Amino acid sequence: MPELTIGELAERSGVPASTLRYYERHGLLHSRRTTGNQRRYAEAMLRQVAFIRASQRVGIPLAEIGEVLEFLPDGGAPTPQFWARAAQCWGRAIDERIAALQRRREVFSACASCGCLTFGECALVA
Amino acid sequence: MPELTIGELAERSGVPASTLRYYERHGLLHSRRTTGNQRRYAEAMLRQVAFIRASQRVGIPLAEIGEVLEFLPDGGAPTPQFWARAAQCWGRAIDERIAALQRRREVFSACASCGCLTFGECALVA
DNA sequence: CTCAGACTTAAACCAAGGTTCAGGTCAAGC
DNA sequence: GCTTGACCTGAACCTTGGTTTAAGTCTGAG
């Protein structure tokens, strides 16, 4: 199994190398180092980067993604079971955001027709 | 009609004075200056601050609020007509965000059951 | 007139999620 | 062995929506 340099991982994942280094600084990725201090990745890391990007896509902050990644067996790719459990979490997170937005929409509709904009009375400005 | 100092406007609106200055720097508010260079506001400004906060509440970025405020007659409070038109805009903006989130939810549901997470194929990571 | 408290400014700092840069090192092809 | 491109680090910079701080000025009550 050939290892990937950071440039190769960047190209194959579409994620800039600067971003991969950023993720590593923040504990979302880990890498083996060569004797010359350069990063080397197993191909499985590609899946882990995919997991991070997919999670970001649905609006999960990096810190939270990092917490979930702590449950990954060291150096292993995300397993189907791992993905299934994470997907359940992320799904609930999206649903909550949709619900919050819809509640806000209702408040706004009521206030839009009232138009008072009075501090201390209007739900939109208080 | 008595004028308000920035501290009074801050207290009556619940918006910190530092934030009011910040809004002014970014063109969302204007003030008269005393001979000693202190800010003075007409009471009508309270309504304008309310408009800004209400707009922020529904997720409109300050830059966009500022653009809309350009249509206000100089120094005047937001009229009911002004609010009605702005409210229509903001309502559409919320609806779009809800719709975008729901589309994302659908993509996610499909991908969550697939779980491939493959770059270039999966809609969640590509 | 004096003095406390409110006001002024510019500049630095915060969160998140990065990008860019300078200066230096590594790896690989010839 | 040399050269070139890829890589390394830390630091600075970016956006948005502010807050905090320092140093100095104004206003109004007594």
Side-chain angles (χ1 to χ4, degrees), chain B residues 48 68-79 82 85:
Chain B
Q48 189 166 336
V68 169
L69 279 174
E70 308 247 325
F71 294 115
L72 262 190
D74 211 37
T79 61
F82 178 85
R85 269 184 300 172

Side-chain angles (χ1 to χ4, degrees), chain B residues 18-19 22-23 34 36 56 61-62:
Chain B
S18 65
T19 303
Y22 175 84
Y23 289 167
T34 63
Q56 274 194 295
L62 288 185

Side-chain angles (χ1 to χ4, degrees), chain A:
Chain A
M1 54 193 262
E3 286 184 313
L4 305 176
T5 66
I6 195 171
E8 289 161 348
L9 183 59
E11 181 156 8
R12 290 184 55 182
S13 68
V15 178
S18 64
T19 303
L20 295 174
R21 288 193 200 98
Y22 176 83
Y23 288 168
E24 184 170 316
R25 271 209 305 289
H26 290 264
L28 283 92
L29 292 180
H30 300 281
S31 55
R32 188 181 78 77
R33 295 299 183 111
T34 64
T35 54
N37 197 35
Q38 295 195 358
R39 291 170 180 84
R40 289 296 181 272
Y41 301 96
E43 269 200 291
M45 195 53 78
L46 210 42
R47 257 185 98 70
Q48 188 166 336
V49 175
F51 174 77
I52 295 171
R53 296 306 259 198
S55 303
Q56 274 195 295
R57 275 254 169 154
V58 298
I60 312 297
L62 289 184
E64 206 168 328
I65 300 171
E67 284 172 26
V68 169
L69 279 175
E70 307 245 326
F71 295 115
L72 261 189
D74 210 38
T79 60
Q81 291 75 29
F82 178 85
W83 170 245
R85 269 184 300 173
Q88 214 173 24
C89 281
W90 297 171
R92 275 198 297 272
I94 306 176
D95 289 340
E96 277 168 30
R97 278 188 298 135
I98 290 176
L101 210 45
Q102 281 170 339
R103 281 194 300 275
R104 197 143 43 142
R105 214 303 177 212
E106 281 171 34
V107 170
F108 177 76
S109 296
C111 288
S113 53
C114 157
C116 74
L117 288 180
T118 304
F119 284 105
E121 285 183 33
C122 177
L124 261 187
V125 302

Side-chain angles (χ1 to χ4, degrees), chain B residues 19-82:
Chain B
T19 303
L20 295 174
R21 289 192 200 98
Y22 175 84
Y23 289 167
E24 184 171 315
R25 272 207 307 288
H26 292 264
L28 283 94
L29 293 180
H30 301 281
S31 56
R32 188 181 80 76
R33 295 299 183 113
T34 63
T35 53
N37 197 35
Q38 295 195 357
R39 291 171 180 83
R40 290 296 181 271
Y41 302 95
E43 269 199 292
M45 194 54 75
L46 211 42
R47 257 186 99 69
Q48 189 166 336
V49 175
F51 175 77
I52 295 171
R53 295 305 259 198
S55 303
Q56 274 194 295
R57 276 252 169 158
V58 298
I60 311 297
L62 288 185
E64 205 168 330
I65 299 171
E67 284 172 28
V68 169
L69 279 174
E70 308 247 325
F71 294 115
L72 262 190
D74 211 37
T79 61
Q81 292 75 29
F82 178 85

